[in-house]
Amino acid sequence: MANALDILKRYWGYDSFRPVQKEVVESALSGRDTLAILPTGGGKSICFQVPAMMKDGLALVVTPLIALMKDQVQNLKARGIKAIAIHTGMTRRELDLALNNAAWGDCKFLYVSPERIATQLFLSYVDVLNVNYIVVDEAHCISQWGYDFRPDYLRIGELRAIVDAPVIALTATATPEVAEDIMERLSVRGEQFKLIRGGFERPNLSYLVRHTEDKYGQLLNVCRKVDGSGIIYMRNRRLCEEISSFLASAGENVSYYHAGLSASEREMRQEAWKSGKIRIMVCTNAFGMGIDKPDVRFVAHASPPDSIEAYFQEAGRAGRDGKRSWTLLLWTEKDLRNMRQLLDLSFPPLDYIEDVYQKIHVFGSIPYETGAGARLRFDLEAFCRNYSLQRAKTHYAIHYLEQSEHIIYSEDVAVPAQVKILSDRQGLYDIDLPERSMAELLELLMRLYPGIFSYAVTIDEEDLSRRMGVTVPILRQLLYRLSTEHVIRYIPAVCSSLVTLRHDRLRPGNLNLQPERYRMLRGTASSRIDAMAQFVTENDVCRSRFLLNYFGQSETEDCGTCDVCRGRKGAGREGDAREKIREFVRLHPDYDARMLGDWASDPRNGMPENTAVLVRRMLDEGEIPEPLGHPLDRL
């Protein structure tokens, strides 16, 4: 471990590991397959990055999050460590070049999206990659019992049969059942995994859950009362924009983030938030994955997430620096009803899913018994408009088609430009082009892309611009002008969602939608919703203890700072609460109900949730004077 500490100090600037990090690193260096379950902010990356730096070869890191892999590659490069990422959206030439650099270019980390590990191109490089560890990030995705199961993760087990390297699997959210499933699916030759489960306690986090109809007021209050940056999670894009507008009109430094924004706009807003130019981000769950911002002081949820796992991961983005931070979860009875309705929406009938499958192929002009491997640019909004389909229901149908291994659906992928020459070779001699540079480009296209007369081929605009000796914008102008001359069909590069077809189009009735798996997934989703509903309605069990028990940590203590614990203290120390209220009234003789309500709901003041009842009792008893202006219902 002395050498491990040297590596840690040299590249990351830390003098020591956290206790659980040390245990994971020791296990990995001993060559054992290791599953590490560490909470969000627990420093999972160092657990595999340090061991990989100490051995010859490279770590093969499988992760489903393109934004996360790009962020980690950037961070490693900033530390002087060579890292490469391959993912959906890269051209074959880009993939080939990246894999070649990984094999022969002294690379230490190769990040791979799970759908890439089964491709022929990737497998052709496996023997020369010299893999020292197979790292499985977000390892819960391999388990059908997990809340985010992804079929492509199952191929990691197949990869182990041809790559002789130990596994380091990591996740922040795994119940005991999911942990067993992960180890079973990743084990080879009957070898035992070492399971290392870090404590899920976050003593600096105060979990607050409030039943309220005034969500806007509660969110504004936490923004005003808690200093530092914050995240507010919403269920949909419309609410993101509405809440952001409301908070901005109230003077808060706020922006919003969701998948409906362009990739460049999302990146710009994320960077502004990370740097502190934006204090509060109102967002869907598309925001936050892989973001290592230590000084988030609060995370708020305007309604309950679909699972304890999702809530714990999102709430855990607060207080990574160990300082006091707050999580606020707001709910109503309507939210609980909506969760149940969403379950039905999330699992459309199997015949609806099959209908969506056929319509995807029709939308992409794919005939029966063709299409295997085809990548289709896919606009979900246009697709639903074209076939008069409900957007949310169709989204979940596509998600299940992916889970049942019929398609790969990748959202917001950078899709490179494509070109097809419309004439045959002989006909090109009869075309009189207005500029010589256009003729040179056409000749270059024919030489580099042999199939360009038969179908639209993916082109590398940067490579073409270098060969032509022009900038990329000028190259695009030349391509556009060739298209206006009807010489080529030019499809510019875009950021788009992609549907990749795993097999030829099947005829109606031949689609295997795995009904047993469908029923199992629906059942586990229903159980997760039940657990979430129990969490928000719980009035007796400490919030922290509830969460720890859910993840299998039985030896727990009350946190003392959540709303349940504070409620118990408030019930036992009503005199203390009365004294605080009396002190507030002494300091604010002209107080009104709004002022008192804002003060009582500030989490730093430690008042119980039944403060309004106590105030009314004190007024009835003449202990404090009547508030000015607003009636007491403003409490």
Side-chain angles (χ1 to χ4, degrees), residues 59 65 70 74 100 111 217 301-302 336 358 413 452:
L65 305 166
K70 288 180 177 178
Q74 183 178 346
N100 192 65
Y111 285 78
H301 287 82
L336 301 186
Q358 296 296 346
V413 174
I452 199 167

Side-chain angles (χ1 to χ4, degrees), residues 115 129 134 181 193 215 225 276 330 345 372 386 397 409 419 472 526 530 571 574 577:
E115 70 273 6
L129 284 178
I134 298 174
D181 199 26
F193 262 76
K215 293 185 176 183
K225 297 299 183 182
L330 307 176
L345 193 67
N386 191 69
Y409 182 50
V419 169
V472 170
S526 179
D530 289 342
E574 184 177 307

Side-chain angles (χ1 to χ4, degrees), residues 14-297:
Y14 299 122
D15 293 316
S16 62
F17 292 102
R18 299 173 187 175
V20 179
Q21 284 179 328
K22 180 181 178 183
E23 189 178 356
V24 177
V25 171
E26 287 177 335
S27 177
L29 289 174
S30 72
R32 289 196 65 177
D33 292 335
T34 305
L35 171 59
I37 305 175
L38 305 178
T40 300
K44 291 187 291 295
S45 297
I46 281 177
C47 292
F48 69 83
Q49 288 171 344
V50 169
M53 291 295 294
M54 297 178 64
K55 292 195 174 185
D56 291 335
L58 59 79
L60 180 64
V61 186
V62 183
T63 178
L65 305 166
I66 294 176
L68 174 59
M69 88 169 54
K70 288 180 177 178
D71 190 54
Q72 290 209 3
V73 166
Q74 183 178 346
N75 288 339
L76 287 167
K77 286 180 176 178
R79 301 179 193 281
I81 301 169
K82 187 165 183 182
I84 293 172
I86 61 173
H87 51 78
T88 302
M90 297 173 68
T91 66
R92 182 181 174 85
R93 186 177 183 281
E94 288 171 334
L95 291 168
D96 204 5
L97 184 62
L99 286 166
N100 192 65
N101 285 338
W104 313 111
D106 196 28
C107 175
K108 291 302 297 181
F109 296 92
L110 176 60
Y111 285 78
V112 187
S113 55
E115 70 273 6
R116 283 289 170 199
I117 60 178
T119 62
Q120 280 302 119
L121 180 61
F122 177 79
L123 293 174
S124 69
Y125 275 90
V126 164
D127 289 341
V128 293
L129 284 178
N130 189 21
V131 175
N132 55 29
Y133 290 102
I134 298 174
V135 179
V136 185
D137 197 15
E138 306 295 333
H140 58 269
C141 292
I142 202 172
S143 172
Q144 295 187 73
W145 304 106
Y147 76 105
D148 194 20
F149 169 63
R150 305 200 180 199
D152 283 305
Y153 261 67
L154 298 174
R155 303 187 187 280
I156 301 173
E158 301 170 13
L159 185 65
R160 295 216 64 192
I162 55 176
V163 177
D164 185 18
V167 162
I168 307 174
L170 308 115
T171 180
T173 48
T175 62
E177 182 180 45
V178 169
E180 286 297 324
D181 199 26
I182 292 170
M183 292 185 288
E184 181 179 337
R185 292 181 181 279
L186 288 176
S187 64
V188 291
R189 298 180 294 275
E191 296 172 359
Q192 282 290 104
F193 262 76
K194 182 174 179 63
L195 173 61
I196 300 172
R197 188 185 291 274
F200 282 79
E201 297 95 340
R202 294 290 303 277
N204 64 311
L205 278 192
S206 294
Y207 296 99
L208 307 178
V209 179
R210 287 182 181 157
H211 178 269
T212 180
E213 298 291 341
D214 182 23
K215 293 185 176 183
Y216 280 52
Q218 290 282 349
L219 292 172
L220 177 59
N221 190 57
V222 75
C223 292
R224 286 178 169 172
K225 297 299 183 182
V226 180
D227 296 330
S229 63
I231 305 173
I232 299 175
Y233 282 106
M234 311 299 299
R235 270 204 172 274
N236 60 53
R237 302 175 186 181
R238 176 183 60 80
L239 287 174
C240 280
E241 297 181 20
E242 286 183 6
I243 290 289
S244 177
S245 177
F246 165 74
L247 294 175
S249 68
E252 295 299 321
N253 177 11
V254 61
S255 186
Y256 64 87
Y257 180 109
H258 57 62
L261 299 170
S262 68
S264 59
E265 184 66 24
R266 290 199 306 274
E267 184 175 353
M268 182 179 70
R269 295 187 187 197
Q270 179 172 298
E271 287 304 314
W273 179 78
K274 287 172 69 176
S275 65
K277 293 177 182 176
I278 293 172
R279 187 172 84 91
I280 301 161
M281 187 64 75
V282 185
C283 55
T284 62
N285 59 8
F287 181 78
M289 296 302 290
I291 293 177
D292 186 15
K293 183 172 170 62
D295 60 343
V296 178
R297 293 278 73 86

